[in-house]
Amino acid sequence: MDNQNNLLRQLLMIGIGTTSLVAEKLQEATDQWVKDGTMNTDQAKRFVDDMMQGLRLDHTSLEELMQRQFRNLMQDVGVPRQSELDELRGRLDRLERQMRDLENRLWR
């Protein structure tokens, strides 16, 4: 399970790095537009803010999609979910208790 979380974390970090690079390039472009007189400082700031807001929304959607796809992939290859493991542990605990009870009855 740790490897799965690590892989997902790495994929998310790649997305964050890409978003940072886009933000940097957007800022460079708007700085140049302001310098050229194509837009004023307020327009440039609004433009960057709007673009970054859109990227954040896309990033959230992408993150949710990646998590869903990752869970599906893990299920397809037979990796049990945490809830399934917890259920099996509970069943195993009950069986062990039953075995101890039976052993205790036999020795009385």
Side-chain angles (χ1 to χ4, degrees):
M1 196 59 106
D2 231 11
N3 286 339
Q4 297 168 6
N5 289 336
N6 192 26
L7 176 60
L8 185 57
R9 210 173 283 125
Q10 288 175 357
L11 290 172
L12 292 176
M13 292 306 291
I14 289 170
I16 290 168
T18 303
T19 302
S20 297
L21 181 61
V22 168
E24 182 181 322
K25 294 301 177 184
L26 265 175
Q27 191 62 53
E28 288 175 11
T30 54
D31 287 348
Q32 186 61 46
W33 294 336
V34 168
K35 184 178 176 184
D36 294 344
T38 306
M39 61 174 54
N40 66 39
T41 310
D42 291 336
Q43 290 170 324
K45 182 180 178 339
R46 264 195 314 278
F47 178 77
V48 170
D49 289 347
D50 290 347
M51 292 298 288
M52 292 309 296
Q53 181 62 30
L55 285 175
R56 276 192 281 284
L57 293 175
D58 289 346
H59 180 70
T60 301
S61 300
L62 179 61
E63 183 178 332
E64 291 169 358
L65 175 64
M66 285 174 39
Q67 288 176 349
R68 191 170 39 252
Q69 291 295 335
F70 189 73
R71 281 192 304 269
N72 290 342
L73 174 67
M74 291 297 111
Q75 186 176 4
D76 289 348
V77 296
V79 176
R81 292 186 312 253
Q82 186 63 45
S83 60
E84 294 171 321
L85 290 175
D86 292 342
E87 181 184 338
L88 288 173
R89 284 186 185 111
R91 291 175 67 191
L92 184 57
D93 288 344
R94 283 191 299 279
L95 286 172
E96 287 174 340
R97 268 195 311 277
Q98 289 174 351
M99 289 292 294
R100 278 194 304 274
D101 289 347
L102 286 172
E103 287 173 349
N104 289 337
R105 285 185 203 160
L106 287 174
W107 293 106
R108 288 183 190 186

